[in-house]
Amino acid sequence: MTPTAVEQAARTLLDHRDRGLPNPLATSPAKVTDVDSGYAVQSASEAILSQERGLHPVGYKIAVSNVRAREMMGVSHPLFGRMYRERMSTSPAEMSFVAGFHKVYEP
């Protein structure tokens, strides 16, 4: 992916996430098809969230860390993503359900 395509994909994903819409790139000709491009889009998204929206990164989330979970998700390795202070909740917390998003409780 070109740098312009990476940034556009990041902005598209963030816009759809903000509006609670499903991932538009999953069925788009511009969809991400390799791990390196996926992490490039993730990195661009992180820059937008922290530099333009003022979110504060506090750590990382590791996902699909076991073989069975990876098989269910159709991926070959664990995934990771940033966690932001403004998007975390303290316990006890109530979370609303939004279709297309996997909200989970983790201690």
Side-chain angles (χ1 to χ4, degrees):
M1 295 180 80
T2 67
T4 300
V6 166
E7 182 176 354
Q8 183 57 48
R11 291 187 183 283
T12 298
L13 286 171
L14 290 172
D15 175 61
H16 278 70
R17 185 183 194 286
D18 291 343
R19 295 187 291 139
L21 300 174
N23 176 355
L25 300 179
T27 57
S28 164
K31 72 180 176 182
V32 176
T33 58
D34 63 272
V35 173
D36 290 338
S37 294
Y39 281 126
V41 171
Q42 180 176 325
S43 180
S45 298
E46 291 171 357
I48 293 166
L49 290 171
S50 62
Q51 295 169 14
E52 295 180 18
R53 298 187 182 185
L55 299 185
H56 298 87
V58 294
Y60 290 93
K61 165 68 176 133
I62 305 299
V64 292
S65 59
N66 67 68
V67 173
R68 181 68 183 123
R70 289 193 297 273
E71 288 171 354
M72 289 173 56
M73 296 290 292
V75 297
S76 61
H77 60 282
L79 306 173
F80 74 92
R82 279 274 191 202
M83 294 182 69
Y84 297 91
R85 180 177 63 216
E86 296 81 3
R87 292 194 172 168
M88 296 179 75
S89 300
T90 55
S91 181
E94 290 187 24
M95 302 174 90
S96 60
F97 173 78
V98 177
F101 290 91
H102 300 283
K103 290 189 177 184
V104 297
Y105 164 78
E106 296 186 75

